[in-house]
Amino acid sequence: DLLKLDAIQAELTEYNGGQPTFLQWATAAGIDEKTLRKRLDYGVYCKNRMVTSNVRLVISIAREFEGPGMDLYDLIQEGMQGLIRGAEKFDASKGFRFSTYSHWWIKQAMRKSVSEQSQIFRLPTTYFSNWKFCYAYQGLVISDAILIALAHYGKQAHMVEASYRVKECTRRLRRKLRRRPTNEEIAADTGMPIKRVEAAVNLPKYCVSLDSKIGSTDMTYQEVTADPSAETAEEMLNRLSMKKDVSQALDTLTTREKQVVVLRFGLEDGRIKTLQEIGSIMGVSRERIRQIESCAFRKLRSKKRVNALKDYLVPVGN
């Protein structure tokens, strides 16, 4: 009754080009204003009663979709939108329970929200059940090439719905077979082509922000995810030990030889300098720097000086 009254109001709004008065609304409905107010209040009461009595159903369905895609509270909010839509479309004369009917609307709202908000690339959700209707649209003749493209898009579309069908079938067959079902078994159970099943299985997974929280905790993924570029404690200890041994080996050289080696390999600032640059810094020629470097290398090659550094050598194969 509430939806019928809303439809009358929408029709008056379109006809008058603006919001109708309450008297005009009651006159169009064939009742007085007092009766219209009672019917509206009772309709809103019934709708709110149907919605508030099934909030637990929304929460139970939202837990099925809970994961890295969206937060539980966002899923509940989207499910409530689906529940309200189901309450508006429900027809009690069909003989079905409202919870059974609204279950599909709640799931559909959550699926749509997850597919649109949890992935970087939005998957297609439009399906042309009969693409030949596009032959003429608003008097425009569409070429055969566009028809073929629309047909191809229709076959590839609706991948979101296909992925959920495959997931539900996989869970059901896993419980029945006590193993992971093959793509052929899923295709036979769902009636979908094998290529469509493979495409649904290979869809991109959810992308999660490192700043998002894990479940209902206050911990984020960034706090528990290891940084592959970070230096481990073992590597840090190894580096400090090697730096100490290298410094001890260089201390056996003269001051000029040590300075040349440090500048040549960038042991202080990490910048490797050429012989010409070192010569300009020390005020000698390039050839003189090369001679000092060669002398320093001959000293460092002695067994006593390099014994402590051999442990840091890594085989070429590694």
Side-chain angles (χ1 to χ4, degrees):
D1 187 44
L2 177 64
L3 294 178
K4 290 179 181 179
L5 295 175
D6 290 340
I8 294 174
Q9 183 188 28
E11 187 177 354
L12 287 175
T13 302
E14 183 179 0
Y15 180 78
N16 296 332
Q19 193 75 13
T21 62
F22 201 77
L23 178 60
Q24 292 175 336
W25 190 1
T27 304
I31 53 178
D32 55 20
E33 297 183 44
K34 185 177 181 181
T35 304
L36 176 60
R37 174 59 61 188
K38 288 184 178 180
R39 289 171 62 178
L40 288 174
D41 292 342
Y42 186 67
V44 172
Y45 165 77
C46 293
K47 179 180 177 180
N48 293 338
R49 180 72 180 276
M50 294 172 68
V51 172
T52 55
S53 299
N54 290 272
V55 174
R56 288 182 296 178
L57 176 63
V58 176
I59 298 176
S60 63
I61 297 175
R63 295 193 182 279
E64 299 178 7
F65 291 84
E66 186 179 7
M70 292 181 62
D71 293 335
L72 179 62
Y73 297 108
D74 294 335
L75 289 171
I76 294 175
Q77 184 177 4
E78 296 295 336
M80 290 300 298
Q81 296 294 330
L83 179 62
I84 294 173
R85 181 62 175 166
E88 295 174 350
K89 302 286 288 185
F90 179 63
D91 187 359
S93 62
K94 302 294 183 180
F96 296 99
R97 294 172 62 90
F98 174 65
S99 59
T100 304
Y101 177 80
S102 62
H103 191 277
W104 185 88
W105 287 98
I106 297 171
K107 268 194 170 183
Q108 194 72 6
M110 292 183 184
R111 287 177 178 178
K112 182 179 179 182
S113 178
V114 169
S115 63
E116 290 182 352
Q117 301 182 29
S118 63
Q119 297 185 6
I120 298 177
F121 300 100
R122 184 176 179 271
L123 299 176
T125 56
T126 305
Y127 179 71
F128 296 101
S129 58
N130 183 7
W131 52 271
K132 291 184 179 180
F133 79 97
C134 295
Y135 184 77
Y137 178 70
Q138 293 184 352
L140 300 177
V141 179
I142 301 178
S143 64
D144 294 338
I146 297 180
L147 288 176
I148 295 174
L150 288 173
H152 177 73
Y153 179 77
K155 293 178 182 179
Q156 299 297 325
H158 231 329
M159 291 306 299
V160 175
E161 192 67 28
S163 65
Y164 280 110
R165 288 180 58 189
V166 170
K167 290 178 182 178
E168 292 176 356
C169 178
T170 302
R171 286 195 295 265
R172 186 175 65 256
L173 292 179
R174 186 192 289 271
R175 291 192 297 267
K176 180 180 179 181
L177 303 175
R178 295 186 178 182
R179 61 174 175 83
R180 182 175 179 82
T182 61
N183 292 342
E184 290 76 10
E185 292 173 338
I186 297 175
D189 186 84
T190 58
M192 298 167 56
I194 183 64
K195 291 184 177 180
R196 191 173 182 83
V197 173
E198 293 175 352
V201 171
N202 296 326
L203 283 177
K205 304 302 180 182
Y206 296 122
C207 298
V208 185
S209 173
L210 291 176
D211 295 329
S212 59
K213 295 182 179 180
I214 302 176
S216 57
T217 65
D218 294 332
M219 188 177 298
T220 63
Y221 287 97
Q222 187 175 7
E223 296 175 355
V224 299
T225 303
D227 185 3
S229 61
E231 190 177 31
T232 62
E234 182 181 358
E235 293 173 345
M236 182 183 298
L237 182 61
N238 188 53
R239 178 175 56 82
L240 294 176
S241 178
M242 181 173 60
K243 184 177 181 180
K244 179 181 178 181
D245 291 339
V246 169
S247 178
Q248 290 178 354
L250 293 178
D251 288 341
T252 60
L253 303 176
T254 63
T255 304
R256 177 171 288 191
E257 291 172 346
K258 181 179 178 180
Q259 184 180 5
V260 170
V261 174
V262 170
L263 294 175
R264 185 74 170 122
F265 295 94
L267 298 181
E268 289 184 350
D269 56 2
R271 180 178 176 272
I272 299 176
K273 295 179 174 60
T274 63
L275 298 177
Q276 187 67 37
E277 291 176 337
I278 300 174
S280 300
I281 294 174
M282 301 180 64
V284 295
S285 64
R286 178 180 180 276
E287 180 61 23
R288 180 54 183 158
I289 296 299
R290 189 192 64 78
Q291 294 174 359
I292 297 175
E293 182 185 33
S294 299
C295 182
F297 286 165
R298 283 195 301 268
K299 292 181 180 180
L300 290 175
R301 287 192 185 99
S302 63
K303 293 183 179 180
K304 294 182 179 180
R305 290 187 172 92
V306 298
N307 276 338
L309 301 177
K310 287 183 178 179
D311 297 335
Y312 302 105
L313 295 178
V314 179
V316 178
N318 295 341

